[in-house]
Amino acid sequence: MATHGNERGFVRSFFTSPTAVEGDDTAEMLRKASQLRGMQAPDVWVPDNEDATAPNLRDEGVENILDVVSEHGEEFPGEIHPRIVWHRDDPETRRQGFEHMMRIADPDEGAIEHIDGFVVPEVGSIDDWKKADEFITVVEAENGLEEGSLSMSPIVESGEAELALARIDREIGKRSNNLERLFLLVDGEVDYTKDMRATTPTGELPSWPELRHNTSRAASANGLIAVDGPYDDIRDVEGYHERMADNRAKGMLGIWSLTPGQVVEANTGPLPPKEGTYLLEVEGKTVELERTDGGAHAYEGDDVELQALDEGRYRLRVGRDTRELDEDGLADALRDRTQYVVAMDDYVDSMAEFEEAKAAGRGAISMERTATLIIDGVEVEVTRDRMWDEATYQAAQTPITLFQEVYEARPDQRDELRDTYGEDVVDRATEVG
Amino acid sequence: MATHGNERGFVRSFFTSPTAVEGDDTAEMLRKASQLRGMQAPDVWVPDNEDATAPNLRDEGVENILDVVSEHGEEFPGEIHPRIVWHRDDPETRRQGFEHMMRIADPDEGAIEHIDGFVVPEVGSIDDWKKADEFITVVEAENGLEEGSLSMSPIVESGEAELALARIDREIGKRSNNLERLFLLVDGEVDYTKDMRATTPTGELPSWPELRHNTSRAASANGLIAVDGPYDDIRDVEGYHERMADNRAKGMLGIWSLTPGQVVEANTGPLPPKEGTYLLEVEGKTVELERTDGGAHAYEGDDVELQALDEGRYRLRVGRDTRELDEDGLADALRDRTQYVVAMDDYVDSMAEFEEAKAAGRGAISMERTATLIIDGVEVEVTRDRMWDEATYQAAQTPITLFQEVYEARPDQRDELRDTYGEDVVDRATEVG
Amino acid sequence: MATHGNERGFVRSFFTSPTAVEGDDTAEMLRKASQLRGMQAPDVWVPDNEDATAPNLRDEGVENILDVVSEHGEEFPGEIHPRIVWHRDDPETRRQGFEHMMRIADPDEGAIEHIDGFVVPEVGSIDDWKKADEFITVVEAENGLEEGSLSMSPIVESGEAELALARIDREIGKRSNNLERLFLLVDGEVDYTKDMRATTPTGELPSWPELRHNTSRAASANGLIAVDGPYDDIRDVEGYHERMADNRAKGMLGIWSLTPGQVVEANTGPLPPKEGTYLLEVEGKTVELERTDGGAHAYEGDDVELQALDEGRYRLRVGRDTRELDEDGLADALRDRTQYVVAMDDYVDSMAEFEEAKAAGRGAISMERTATLIIDGVEVEVTRDRMWDEATYQAAQTPITLFQEVYEARPDQRDELRDTYGEDVVDRATEVG
């Protein structure tokens, strides 16, 4: 699903599996993960021979990778990027990482042809990134692989590595390295917090907005993809979605997933919803309106009251603020307090409408959306308009292009997409733009 | 109003006009804008030959710039900086931009003598900035203009350009370029959002605090002026002011204006208010007190209650927190919950007082401000004091220096300033410091 | 307490004293400060020959430093780092700073042997940092001190200096400088705000989260220690603690202190509390539960109600949300809404337990914590569990290592630490890890 090189692709989910666990079949979890399909299968699967696997099992983990990937790699619907061991401060760890990569890349084992690249944790300055890059270049040469064919995805979990993010563009393209192999920039907030020596009273991780911004910016500037670190509280689905929404507002497209359940959320979260909803702002909070059977949007709380008075006048109370309004004033007041969460088919319709207008020589058109809001049983027509120009059109393309790339690259998810959005929307969404 | 070179000036408003629109007189909007005066006239006026103008009208737009600026440029009270076309990824667009600049700078057309520089959109890395700089150098040489006399204001609308902000200081001053011509650093959040591939559910733009910080920091480090991008919702005056206040707290002084109405807000917003007001903090929110005819400050809400009890005691309720206090305790409690929005004449008075103290050999003095607050009809005298030292004094200079520069550079706004603040305050404000 | 060189130490408090004040004994405040002990004595004491001292007293200030430090320096429990004058834009000020350092370092005066380094304010670009470094190198050579033996702690109070933070790692280690002497990176928000020309309506300082992040990141990447600037409102102890907590979540360990009272807060704030507490989230706010005599944790507010119904069912109201739950559901609902503020002995216990598990070959264990919460008289057992692996263990080490370093480096604070935590906890805390 990801186009390497200058054009960025999309990675929604980054799912790690231990390469070896205690037990009769140490490859059990690896084998299970390799058979995930559809929304449960990640865009990038990471057989994790670092933190998820006990140090004494890591040599065996490498053998498990060879076994499982040579057997199941061809059918796996996503890309495969094993994580090897590495540490900016420890040459011995780096040597181990080198040897593990060399072994995994052995063409006689039949795994490397299904492996897209390596994930390199605990990198330091850009010079440390170059050391990993150089080892991969040697691995490629030694095993008859094309130079630069294996990608490299560093994990940013130190202040040094964060500084390196602003230097990639100065080093990439030099003849002395192959940093064009860079693919994902992954944040690792647990170790980053430790490296920064940050603490919170409850042990919760800081949210590190600046780190995520800098990672996303580096991805943008270098044609790469930014991926956020693990979200530990697996039960907290709502929190995971809030984090993803915050990430997307930063241009950070992907997120780490620790379970197939999280993979499903990570795969579906970035796609626009099937149905649009209205949000009403009440005293600084945002409340989602309920869609009624008739297609209207109803407010069901106590903080807003609406009463029809005589002669076409209305009394509207929002929190402690009460006003008397006529019909137009009421519609305006509600319009100013609502926002619309855009659905997949809204994107498709608006883009198609704009394309037509552009073909007819118009550079900007007004798009109207009218809906019936219901408060305390009173129905109000609210019309919102928005100017669409080339910039609006191109911004709308971000989610639609994602949809198209997913549809193209992940045939195993097509049925689920058609179930979710319906045949018609999927057909039009794959053709627009 | 802006002093180029090492000393920064101030730019409050950056107003764009399409250079050509469909119709009998394609220069209509340009001509109208050129005749704005007073608070409706921007500090920097940008005849926009890029996004605001349809691609097929841009050659005509250049001719319109020549016509309108040669006729009205001399009388225009602000600076004039046309925006030309440019794109980091498209050499053909860059060539067009070059040709448009060459035409605009033709001395026989009589426009260039009123033009202060060019706005260059969609720049990439610092090397891309140098390409634009080089074209302007060639334009200057070809048209007999002094090298470096035309300024250049890039629009930061890509991750690459954001990274370039941290590199200006390393390139400026080199003999191989003329980057000393840099003037404004303008954020362009619509295209930046697209470049970062960021999305929000409602299509609202992310607020990009890190981008604005980095732009402001680069302005500070290089003697330039930071300007925020357009605020689309033209009807939302309050939102525009909130954004400007947030920008000013980041050191970002100017903002884009899309209409003469926004220009007025952008021109007046950064100046201290005529009258100071008190803010009361209630349950994490800030409420502005109303100034009474008698010059007191009254709270008019339900979240705070005050009752005079016997024997000089009071009962104060703030939200859910109720306390009994004596007179001093009450004054302290209210002082801790209030903040004072400083008025123009407060700045002038305090600076003058500090200057006197300094002349008398004192490095720090305490400034007191006493006011009568009224809650539920009960009057309370509240005194706030603040230590002023050299640093406080210098910080207070930021808004006063702005006022002085505006007064000096914009004679067309003097009447409005005198109407707003009164003769006396204006006279003292122009002399202090 | 601070280990210079590659390994970072800890600095909690950075306390400035004027070197000379008007009066019979101009060294009075310096002498008083030199005699602080225990929690009132800072980790780093800064005889301040810059802003805290009037310009005409600064030569005398240097003599006072010599007098007081030669007499009291040996007994002073923290490090001593005088602040000298410096300015990126003023060579004359830099020359003065140089001469003051040269005088302070005179070995015949007996002060320099107790002085650990110099604090250099108002630095600019990294080249300006090198000028200060060079002067210190000359001072060392001239006075027979080992090259690099005096540390240097720049104050970041300009956009230029903030940019320099991202360049330290490229310059440190070069043979042409001695930047290995860098020790603290101190933010100076008052002058930084002025340099950025930022303003707020009430004159309050912006909180500058990006500056603090960048300072902390540079500290992490270069083995240095980040220190936040002064907190002006000396009476506002709660605000000072909130700022410190926010700083610690950014990895900024130390803070400026203006009074011995602030030093106490700065010294104790970063250490875990004696007793753990539960936080309950109610409508977006966090309320601390009260510990009862029986060791339970009681909610004492109106926003949460709990009522035991028949047949083991409960009615729980949180804000406007009311639900009926069985016993398990109730425990889950409360667990999801609570967080635990970890106490010193919790850290010690959990680390010891994990060390045992690791010795027994287990890489990850579940730690349970059960507590009795009391709401409206109803008791509920709530169990929270958390997986501990190597990363959790290492993160827990940050506060414990701080405790151990403080205990080691500050014998004058040991009695107070034993009084606070008890003999047993202190003994175990100094041994774990």
Side-chain angles (χ1 to χ4, degrees):
Chain A
M1 76 251 47
T3 322
H4 297 190
N6 282 326
E7 222 174 310
R8 287 196 284 168
F10 286 84
V11 167
R12 298 163 294 170
S13 47
F14 177 99
F15 175 58
T16 47
S17 312
T19 57
V21 289
E22 296 284 0
D24 292 342
D25 174 15
T26 64
E28 188 190 351
M29 291 189 70
L30 210 55
R31 193 168 293 112
K32 264 194 198 162
S34 74
Q35 288 159 26
L36 293 170
R37 294 296 180 272
M39 285 298 171
Q40 287 203 320
D43 288 342
V44 166
W45 175 42
V46 181
D48 183 0
N49 207 44
E50 199 222 13
D51 278 1
T53 300
N56 61 330
L57 292 177
R58 288 177 188 164
D59 288 341
E60 189 169 347
V62 168
E63 301 307 314
N64 288 343
I65 292 173
L66 293 174
D67 282 358
V68 173
V69 174
S70 60
E71 189 183 344
H72 299 285
E74 184 153 13
E75 279 75 38
F76 189 76
E79 294 198 3
I80 305 176
H81 296 252
R83 172 157 79 161
I84 49 104
V85 294
W86 189 267
H87 204 290
R88 60 194 173 281
D89 293 331
D90 184 5
E92 178 53 27
T93 303
R94 297 196 294 269
R95 189 194 57 84
Q96 277 183 10
F98 178 41
E99 289 180 1
H100 287 158
M101 288 193 289
M102 192 65 93
R103 174 86 185 111
I104 292 169
D106 184 342
D108 296 339
E109 297 292 342
I112 192 66
E113 59 192 280
H114 309 303
I115 285 175
D116 300 276
F118 290 104
V119 175
V120 184
E122 294 289 1
V123 292
S125 71
I126 194 77
D127 282 347
D128 189 56
W129 299 33
K130 292 183 202 164
K131 295 176 193 171
D133 165 52
E134 167 66 3
F135 280 166
I136 300 177
T137 299
V138 172
V139 164
E140 287 167 338
E142 193 74 14
N143 292 290
L145 301 167
E146 192 187 345
E147 192 165 299
S149 61
L150 289 170
S151 80
M152 168 173 148
S153 300
I155 304 194
V156 177
E157 39 198 340
S158 64
E160 271 180 276
E162 190 188 348
L163 286 169
L165 291 170
R167 294 167 185 170
I168 298 168
D169 62 325
R170 301 189 147 190
E171 302 295 336
I172 215 166
K174 285 189 180 168
R175 282 173 55 192
S176 52
N177 67 53
N178 287 305
L179 286 176
E180 293 93 338
R181 69 168 82 253
L182 284 170
F183 173 39
L184 306 177
L185 300 172
V186 186
D187 284 344
E189 281 93 351
V190 174
D191 281 330
Y192 179 82
T193 298
K194 193 180 69 191
D195 180 75
M196 294 283 278
R197 300 202 303 184
T199 57
T200 59
T202 60
E204 225 184 354
L205 286 178
S207 68
W208 299 116
E210 295 90 357
L211 169 67
R212 288 181 288 143
H213 175 76
N214 292 337
T215 306
S216 179
R217 180 179 66 176
S220 161
N222 296 287
L224 309 175
I225 300 171
V227 174
D228 194 18
Y231 191 84
D232 273 346
D233 192 346
I234 292 165
R235 291 176 297 206
D236 182 10
V237 177
E238 197 187 336
Y240 194 55
H241 275 280
E242 280 170 15
R243 178 66 169 220
M244 285 193 281
D246 192 51
N247 287 342
R248 285 196 297 274
K250 290 174 165 294
M252 178 169 256
L253 299 168
I255 193 165
W256 200 302
S257 300
L258 295 169
T259 64
Q262 282 194 334
V263 173
V264 172
E265 304 303 329
N267 280 341
T268 53
L271 298 171
K274 156 107 179 103
E275 294 209 316
T277 46
Y278 277 84
L279 306 177
L280 185 65
E281 201 191 309
V282 184
E283 299 203 307
K285 287 181 200 163
T286 289
V287 185
E288 195 176 321
L289 304 189
E290 295 291 321
R291 188 180 275 261
T292 67
D293 293 341
H297 302 267
Y299 173 75
E300 294 174 350
D302 302 322
D303 293 324
V304 180
E305 276 179 342
L306 179 60
Q307 192 186 349
L309 309 175
D310 289 343
E311 298 173 27
R313 295 193 65 79
Y314 296 85
R315 180 176 294 127
L316 174 69
R317 182 182 67 79
V318 180
R320 284 200 166 114
D321 174 36
T322 301
R323 281 186 288 172
E324 271 199 36
L325 299 158
D326 63 14
E327 198 167 336
D328 288 352
L330 176 64
D332 288 355
L334 289 176
R335 185 201 58 218
D336 290 350
R337 288 187 170 278
T338 46
Q339 287 198 297
Y340 181 69
V341 175
V342 185
M344 178 73 86
D345 64 343
D346 297 323
Y347 280 112
V348 175
D349 291 348
S350 301
M351 286 177 68
E353 195 176 330
F354 183 77
E355 284 171 9
E356 252 177 62
K358 196 162 62 169
R362 296 165 64 199
I365 57 171
S366 173
M367 302 267 188
E368 279 199 358
R369 185 183 314 285
T370 298
T372 304
L373 308 193
I374 305 180
I375 300 173
D376 289 342
V378 181
E379 300 197 353
V380 192
E381 295 276 289
V382 171
T383 298
R384 299 168 57 84
D385 52 4
R386 190 174 171 196
M387 285 306 296
W388 269 59
D389 60 11
E390 188 62 30
T392 332
Y393 175 76
Q394 288 184 18
Q397 275 189 316
T398 302
I400 294 300
T401 304
L402 168 62
F403 179 84
Q404 293 171 343
E405 291 209 30
V406 167
Y407 194 83
E408 180 62 27
R410 293 294 304 269
D412 61 315
Q413 296 189 343
R414 287 181 195 167
D415 284 352
E416 282 163 282
L417 292 173
R418 290 183 175 275
D419 285 352
T420 302
Y421 295 107
E423 295 284 328
D424 173 59
V425 171
V426 167
D427 287 346
R428 286 157 57 226
T430 49
E431 277 159 30
V432 82
Chain B
M1 76 252 47
T3 321
H4 297 189
N6 281 327
E7 221 174 310
R8 287 197 284 169
F10 285 85
V11 166
R12 298 162 293 171
S13 47
F14 175 100
F15 175 59
T16 48
S17 312
T19 57
V21 290
E22 295 284 359
D24 293 341
D25 174 14
T26 64
E28 187 189 352
M29 291 189 70
L30 211 54
R31 194 168 293 111
K32 263 194 200 162
S34 74
Q35 288 159 26
L36 293 172
R37 294 293 180 274
M39 285 297 170
Q40 287 203 321
D43 288 342
V44 165
W45 175 43
V46 181
D48 183 1
N49 207 45
E50 199 221 13
D51 278 2
T53 300
N56 61 329
L57 292 176
R58 287 177 189 164
D59 289 339
E60 189 169 346
V62 168
E63 301 307 315
N64 288 342
I65 292 173
L66 293 174
D67 282 357
V68 173
V69 174
S70 61
E71 188 183 345
H72 299 286
E74 184 152 14
E75 278 74 39
F76 189 75
E79 294 197 1
I80 305 177
H81 296 251
R83 173 157 79 160
I84 49 103
V85 294
W86 190 265
H87 204 291
R88 60 194 174 281
D89 293 332
D90 184 5
E92 178 52 28
T93 303
R94 297 197 293 270
R95 189 195 57 86
Q96 279 184 9
F98 177 42
E99 288 180 2
H100 287 159
M101 289 193 291
M102 191 65 93
R103 174 84 186 114
I104 291 169
D106 184 341
D108 297 338
E109 297 292 342
I112 192 66
E113 59 192 280
H114 309 304
I115 285 175
D116 300 275
F118 291 104
V119 175
V120 184
E122 294 289 3
V123 291
S125 71
I126 194 78
D127 282 346
D128 189 57
W129 299 32
K130 291 184 202 165
K131 295 176 194 171
D133 164 53
E134 167 64 4
F135 280 166
I136 300 177
T137 299
V138 172
V139 164
E140 287 166 338
E142 193 72 13
N143 292 290
L145 302 167
E146 192 188 344
E147 192 165 299
S149 60
L150 290 169
S151 80
M152 168 175 149
S153 299
I155 305 194
V156 178
E157 39 197 341
S158 63
E160 272 180 275
E162 190 188 348
L163 286 169
L165 291 170
R167 293 167 187 172
I168 299 169
D169 62 325
R170 302 189 148 190
E171 301 295 336
I172 216 166
K174 284 190 181 168
R175 282 174 55 192
S176 53
N177 67 53
N178 286 305
L179 286 176
E180 294 92 338
R181 69 170 81 252
L182 285 171
F183 172 40
L184 306 177
L185 299 172
V186 187
D187 284 344
E189 280 94 351
V190 174
D191 281 330
Y192 179 83
T193 299
K194 193 180 69 191
D195 181 75
M196 295 284 277
R197 299 202 303 184
T199 57
T200 59
T202 60
E204 227 184 351
L205 287 178
S207 68
W208 299 116
E210 295 90 357
L211 169 67
R212 289 182 286 142
H213 175 76
N214 292 337
T215 306
S216 180
R217 179 178 67 176
S220 161
N222 297 287
L224 309 174
I225 300 172
V227 174
D228 195 17
Y231 191 84
D232 273 345
D233 192 346
I234 293 165
R235 290 176 300 207
D236 182 9
V237 176
E238 197 187 336
Y240 194 54
H241 274 280
E242 280 169 16
R243 178 65 171 220
M244 285 193 281
D246 192 52
N247 286 342
R248 286 197 297 274
K250 290 173 164 296
M252 177 170 256
L253 298 168
I255 193 165
W256 200 303
S257 300
L258 294 168
T259 65
Q262 282 194 334
V263 173
V264 173
E265 304 303 328
N267 279 341
T268 52
L271 298 171
K274 156 109 180 103
E275 293 209 317
T277 46
Y278 277 83
L279 306 177
L280 185 65
E281 200 192 310
V282 183
E283 299 203 307
K285 287 181 200 162
T286 289
V287 185
E288 194 176 319
L289 304 190
E290 294 291 321
R291 187 180 276 262
T292 67
D293 293 341
H297 301 266
Y299 173 74
E300 295 174 351
D302 302 323
D303 292 324
V304 180
E305 277 180 340
L306 179 60
Q307 192 186 351
L309 309 174
D310 290 342
E311 297 173 29
R313 295 192 65 78
Y314 296 85
R315 179 177 293 127
L316 174 69
R317 180 182 67 79
V318 181
R320 284 199 166 113
D321 174 36
T322 302
R323 281 187 290 173
E324 271 199 35
L325 299 157
D326 63 14
E327 198 168 336
D328 288 353
L330 176 64
D332 287 355
L334 290 176
R335 186 199 59 219
D336 289 350
R337 288 188 171 276
T338 47
Q339 286 198 297
Y340 181 70
V341 175
V342 185
M344 178 73 85
D345 64 342
D346 297 322
Y347 280 112
V348 175
D349 291 347
S350 301
M351 286 176 68
E353 195 176 330
F354 182 77
E355 285 172 9
E356 252 177 61
K358 197 162 62 169
R362 295 164 64 198
I365 58 172
S366 173
M367 301 268 187
E368 280 200 356
R369 185 183 314 284
T370 298
T372 304
L373 308 193
I374 306 180
I375 300 173
D376 289 341
V378 182
E379 301 197 353
V380 192
E381 294 276 290
V382 171
T383 299
R384 299 169 57 83
D385 52 5
R386 190 172 172 198
M387 284 306 296
W388 269 60
D389 60 12
E390 188 62 29
T392 330
Y393 175 76
Q394 289 184 18
Q397 275 190 317
T398 302
I400 294 300
T401 304
L402 168 62
F403 179 84
Q404 293 171 343
E405 291 208 31
V406 166
Y407 195 82
E408 179 62 28
R410 294 294 304 269
D412 61 316
Q413 296 189 343
R414 286 182 195 166
D415 284 351
E416 283 163 282
L417 292 174
R418 290 183 176 275
D419 285 352
T420 302
Y421 294 107
E423 294 284 328
D424 173 58
V425 171
V426 167
D427 288 347
R428 286 157 57 226
T430 50
E431 278 159 31
V432 82
Chain C
M1 75 250 48
T3 321
H4 296 191
N6 281 327
E7 222 174 309
R8 287 197 284 168
F10 285 85
V11 166
R12 298 163 292 170
S13 48
F14 176 98
F15 175 59
T16 47
S17 312
T19 57
V21 289
E22 295 284 359
D24 292 343
D25 174 14
T26 64
E28 188 189 353
M29 291 189 70
L30 211 54
R31 194 168 291 111
K32 263 194 198 163
S34 74
Q35 287 159 27
L36 293 171
R37 295 293 180 273
M39 285 298 170
Q40 288 203 320
D43 288 343
V44 165
W45 175 42
V46 181
D48 183 0
N49 207 46
E50 199 222 13
D51 278 1
T53 300
N56 61 330
L57 292 176
R58 287 176 188 166
D59 289 340
E60 189 169 346
V62 168
E63 301 307 314
N64 288 343
I65 292 174
L66 293 174
D67 282 358
V68 172
V69 173
S70 61
E71 188 182 345
H72 299 285
E74 184 153 13
E75 278 76 37
F76 188 76
E79 294 197 1
I80 304 177
H81 296 252
R83 172 156 78 160
I84 49 105
V85 294
W86 190 266
H87 203 290
R88 59 195 174 281
D89 293 331
D90 184 6
E92 178 53 27
T93 303
R94 296 198 293 271
R95 190 195 57 86
Q96 278 183 11
F98 177 41
E99 289 179 3
H100 286 159
M101 288 194 290
M102 190 66 92
R103 174 84 184 114
I104 292 169
D106 184 342
D108 297 340
E109 297 293 340
I112 193 66
E113 58 193 280
H114 309 305
I115 285 175
D116 300 276
F118 290 105
V119 175
V120 184
E122 295 289 2
V123 291
S125 70
I126 194 77
D127 282 346
D128 189 56
W129 299 33
K130 291 184 202 163
K131 296 176 194 171
D133 165 52
E134 167 65 4
F135 280 166
I136 300 177
T137 299
V138 172
V139 164
E140 287 167 337
E142 193 72 15
N143 293 289
L145 301 167
E146 192 187 344
E147 193 165 300
S149 60
L150 289 169
S151 81
M152 167 173 149
S153 299
I155 304 194
V156 177
E157 39 198 340
S158 64
E160 272 180 275
E162 190 188 349
L163 286 169
L165 291 170
R167 295 167 185 171
I168 299 169
D169 62 326
R170 301 188 149 191
E171 301 295 335
I172 216 167
K174 284 190 181 168
R175 281 174 56 193
S176 53
N177 67 52
N178 286 307
L179 285 176
E180 294 91 337
R181 68 169 83 253
L182 285 170
F183 173 40
L184 306 177
L185 299 172
V186 186
D187 284 344
E189 281 94 350
V190 174
D191 281 330
Y192 179 83
T193 299
K194 192 180 69 192
D195 181 75
M196 295 283 278
R197 299 202 305 183
T199 57
T200 60
T202 59
E204 225 184 354
L205 287 178
S207 68
W208 298 116
E210 295 91 356
L211 169 67
R212 289 182 286 142
H213 175 76
N214 292 338
T215 306
S216 180
R217 179 179 65 176
S220 161
N222 297 287
L224 309 175
I225 299 171
V227 174
D228 194 18
Y231 191 84
D232 273 346
D233 192 347
I234 292 165
R235 290 176 300 206
D236 182 9
V237 176
E238 196 187 337
Y240 194 54
H241 274 280
E242 280 169 15
R243 178 66 171 220
M244 286 194 280
D246 192 50
N247 286 342
R248 285 196 297 274
K250 290 172 165 295
M252 177 169 256
L253 299 168
I255 193 166
W256 200 302
S257 299
L258 294 168
T259 64
Q262 282 194 334
V263 173
V264 173
E265 304 303 329
N267 280 340
T268 53
L271 298 171
K274 156 109 180 103
E275 293 209 316
T277 46
Y278 277 84
L279 305 176
L280 185 65
E281 200 191 309
V282 184
E283 300 203 305
K285 288 182 200 162
T286 289
V287 185
E288 194 176 321
L289 304 190
E290 295 291 321
R291 188 179 275 263
T292 67
D293 293 342
H297 301 267
Y299 173 74
E300 294 175 350
D302 301 324
D303 292 324
V304 181
E305 277 179 342
L306 180 59
Q307 192 186 349
L309 309 174
D310 289 344
E311 296 173 28
R313 295 192 66 78
Y314 296 86
R315 179 177 293 126
L316 174 69
R317 180 182 67 79
V318 181
R320 284 200 166 112
D321 174 35
T322 302
R323 282 186 288 172
E324 272 202 24
L325 298 157
D326 64 13
E327 197 167 337
D328 287 352
L330 176 64
D332 286 356
L334 289 177
R335 184 200 60 218
D336 289 350
R337 288 188 169 275
T338 47
Q339 286 197 297
Y340 181 70
V341 175
V342 186
M344 179 72 87
D345 64 343
D346 297 323
Y347 279 113
V348 174
D349 291 347
S350 301
M351 287 177 67
E353 195 175 329
F354 183 77
E355 285 172 9
E356 252 178 60
K358 196 162 63 169
R362 296 164 63 198
I365 58 171
S366 172
M367 302 268 187
E368 281 199 356
R369 185 184 314 285
T370 298
T372 304
L373 308 193
I374 305 180
I375 299 173
D376 289 341
V378 182
E379 301 197 353
V380 191
E381 295 275 291
V382 171
T383 298
R384 299 169 57 84
D385 52 5
R386 191 174 171 195
M387 284 306 297
W388 269 61
D389 60 11
E390 188 62 30
T392 332
Y393 175 76
Q394 288 184 19
Q397 275 189 317
T398 302
I400 294 301
T401 304
L402 168 62
F403 179 84
Q404 293 172 343
E405 291 208 33
V406 167
Y407 195 83
E408 180 61 28
R410 294 294 303 268
D412 61 315
Q413 296 189 344
R414 287 182 194 166
D415 284 352
E416 282 163 282
L417 292 174
R418 290 183 175 275
D419 285 353
T420 302
Y421 294 106
E423 294 284 330
D424 173 57
V425 171
V426 168
D427 288 346
R428 286 156 57 225
T430 49
E431 277 160 29
V432 81

